[in-house]
């Protein structure tokens, strides 16, 4: 188990220049998992008890928080995060907030799953960050309202106990609760500001929903697919290739550095479960002078299975979606795309349906995790 570096206390006041120059962060091992709170997956901040200085929706904005030292509004300094007003006590004799006073925000995960780690990022909140944070998770079916989530019938499980955090820092917490969650309650004690929230974990889809769909993208992140490894992650993560929707710009795909040898680049995926693949798409949208020249796709069944090529090495066009119908269905639990010699693709889609064994395995996991 890798120790998670923690940060506490104020950061120095902003002194000019690059605001991230004194930002405190660390390499958290759980960030290899997808962000379940990604807006692209449908995540959202359902409600917050207070957002006087900065809106709750900023928590899930993609990319790092920005800082403009000259940007002030009618309520004070405009911050790129979620910031609440300063709490006060009950009277002049007791002007301080109590130990129980805290602010909260309810977050709907874009894809339900098992959470492996959480980052509470206080970037640019140097003296106005919370003293401590805590995070709870719940599994609630359907599309509950804020009022329903706050009802007494909802069971909340502690994922991060009340823990001191630091200002202008990426505060990371490993999570070891083997349970499927749909919503989080993020608490800051007693008040303050959080710039970004990232929730890394493994998607656990609803097998009944996938069964109703019949044919779907069996490698898509939202359906439980995962990019396990890749030869090169220089410009962008391999998981971009299984995000929902079409790529909207060049860095919304996967691009490798330029090769100067005779090798090739690749990504290996785990499918939602054992599936029968009947068609596929390889999209090079927005990759024009840097798209892959050729690509092939292979599958294997089980960890020890042999790789079988289902799409031979095929010429790709820049900024184009390529569709292929397989001559015969291919069964597997893993897939691999090889690109030649380097470059990038924006999306990979593998269309098919779960086998009986795949449905049974996914249903068992779903039930085991309390889904």
């Amino acid at each position: 188990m890798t120790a998670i570096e923690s940060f506490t206390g104020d950061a120095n006041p902003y002194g000019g220049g690059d605001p991230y120059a004194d930002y405190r962060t660390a390499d958290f091992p759980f960030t290899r998992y997808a962000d379940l709170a990604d807006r692209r997956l449908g995540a959202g901040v359902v409600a917050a008890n207070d957002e006087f200085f900065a809106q709750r929706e900023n928590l899930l904005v993609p990319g790092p928080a920005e800082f403009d030292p000259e940007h002030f509004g009618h309520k004070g300094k405009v911050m790129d995060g979620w910031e609440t007003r300063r709490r006060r006590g009950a009277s002049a004799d007791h002007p301080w907030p109590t130990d129980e006073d805290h602010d909260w925000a309810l977050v709907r995960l874009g894809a339900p799953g098992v959470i492996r780690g959480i980052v509470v990022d206080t970037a640019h909140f140097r003296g106005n960050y919370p003293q401590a944070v805590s995070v709870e998770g719940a599994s609630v079916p359907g599309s509950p309202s804020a009022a329903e989530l706050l009802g007494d019938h909802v069971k909340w499980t502690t994922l991060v106990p009340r823990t001191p955090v630091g200002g202008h820092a990426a505060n990371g917490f490993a999570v070891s609760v083997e349970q499927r969650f749909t919503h989080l309650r993020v608490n800051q004690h007693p008040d303050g500001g959080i710039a970004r929230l990232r929730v890394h974990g493994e998607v656990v889809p609803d097998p009944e929903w996938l069964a109703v769909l019949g044919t779907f993208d069996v490698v898509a992140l939202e359906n439980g697919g995962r990019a396990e490894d890749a030869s090169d992650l220089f410009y962008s993560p391999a998981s971009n290739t299984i995000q929902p929707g079409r790529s909207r710009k060049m860095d919304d795909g996967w691009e490798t550095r330029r090769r100067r040898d005779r090798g090739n680049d690749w990504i290996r995926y785990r499918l939602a479960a054992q599936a029968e693949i009947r068609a596929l798409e390889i999209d090079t949208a927005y990759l024009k002078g840097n798209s892959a020249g050729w690509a092939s796709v292979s599958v294997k069944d089980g960890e020890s299975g042999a790789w079988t090529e289902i799409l031979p090495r095929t010429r790709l066009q820049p900024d184009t979606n390529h569709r292929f119908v397989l001559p015969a269905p291919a069964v597997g639990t893993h897939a691999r795309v090889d690109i030649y010699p380097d470059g990038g693709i924006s999306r990979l889609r593998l269309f098919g349906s779960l086998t009986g064994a795949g449905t049974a395995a996914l249903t068992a996991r779903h039930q085991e995790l309390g889904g």
Side-chain angles (χ1 to χ4, degrees), residues 339-351:
I339 63 171
Y340 302 87
D342 55 23
I345 61 173
S346 62
R347 296 290 189 269
L348 173 72
R349 304 298 189 207
L350 303 178
F351 297 106

Side-chain angles (χ1 to χ4, degrees), residues 182-305:
T182 61
H183 294 77
L184 298 185
R185 183 162 62 188
V186 181
N187 306 303
Q188 46 179 338
H189 308 266
D191 54 39
I194 298 171
R196 297 287 189 268
L197 176 74
R198 305 298 185 225
V199 184
H200 297 279
E202 301 174 55
V203 176
V204 180
D206 182 350
E208 291 186 3
W209 174 251
L210 297 183
V212 170
L213 293 179
T215 296
F216 60 93
D217 182 0
V218 299
V219 76
L221 183 60
E222 60 189 322
N223 294 329
R226 178 152 52 102
E228 289 192 318
D229 198 7
S231 60
D232 188 292
L233 301 172
F234 188 83
Y235 286 114
S236 45
S239 59
N240 278 355
T241 60
I242 53 175
Q243 288 282 0
R246 299 295 183 194
S247 176
R248 297 184 178 182
K249 52 196 176 100
M250 190 174 72
D251 66 351
D252 190 21
W254 171 62
E255 182 188 358
T256 70
R257 75 191 83 194
R258 300 188 188 211
R259 275 190 171 268
R260 303 305 188 196
D261 58 21
R262 296 294 180 179
N264 74 282
D265 289 314
W266 51 266
I267 306 174
R268 187 181 74 243
Y269 305 89
R270 177 184 293 273
L271 308 184
Q274 187 190 62
E276 186 179 78
I277 302 166
R278 294 184 289 275
L280 62 91
E281 290 183 359
I282 301 176
D283 196 354
T284 58
Y286 293 96
L287 296 163
K288 298 182 178 180
N290 50 352
S291 67
W294 293 261
S296 64
V297 178
S298 304
V299 300
K300 71 173 183 176
D301 192 21
E303 293 288 350
S304 58

Side-chain angles (χ1 to χ4, degrees), residues 16 31-32 61 71 84 123 138 142 148 172 177 187 193 199 237 262-263 276 286 344 370:
T31 56
R32 69 180 186 274
V61 170
H71 194 187
T84 65
E148 290 170 326
V177 180
N187 306 303
V199 184
R262 296 294 180 179
E276 186 179 78
Y286 293 96

